[in-house]
Amino acid sequence: MSKKNKKKTPKSDPIKSPDHYCHGEGLLESWDAFVATYGREAAISAARFNIHKYLTRFDRKGQALQDLCKIQQYAEMLKRLIPDDYEWPS
């Protein structure tokens, strides 16, 4: 196969796109599969849980900056999931 015909694979990013969360040559990320399978409400709950998880332990694992970046990433995912007129459950 010539160089110009080779398929490019996405570059790994330990925060936004870790290798271990990509499936099908990086075409489907676990997060995208989760949202497609379980829906927006479940994804909102999952993002909130992950923010909480990383926030409560970021300073105890020896990789505080990376975990703070993960919090930021999940907050961005959460923002994309919530429409302007979203009504939070009580």
Side-chain angles (χ1 to χ4, degrees):
M1 179 180 277
S2 70
K3 283 186 179 182
K4 69 179 182 178
N5 291 336
K6 282 187 179 179
K7 188 175 183 180
K8 287 187 176 183
T9 56
K11 186 176 179 182
S12 176
D13 179 312
I15 306 301
K16 295 182 179 181
S17 185
D19 287 337
H20 59 277
Y21 285 148
C22 295
H23 305 282
E25 295 184 30
L27 299 177
L28 183 61
E29 298 248 356
S30 291
W31 181 256
D32 297 328
F34 184 93
V35 174
T37 302
Y38 299 105
R40 187 176 74 196
E41 292 297 323
I44 288 170
S45 294
R48 292 178 74 182
F49 168 77
N50 281 312
I51 290 167
H52 173 79
K53 174 180 70 174
Y54 285 110
L55 187 60
T56 58
R57 68 180 193 182
F58 78 93
D59 57 347
R60 292 183 276 164
K61 290 177 32 189
Q63 54 189 23
L65 185 57
Q66 184 173 346
D67 281 357
L68 289 171
C69 289
K70 288 179 182 179
I71 292 167
Q72 186 177 18
Q73 178 68 17
Y74 278 108
E76 289 297 323
M77 291 172 170
L78 186 57
K79 282 173 42 180
R80 287 193 296 272
L81 289 166
I82 298 173
D84 292 335
D85 60 346
Y86 184 78
E87 292 190 30
W88 291 95
S90 344

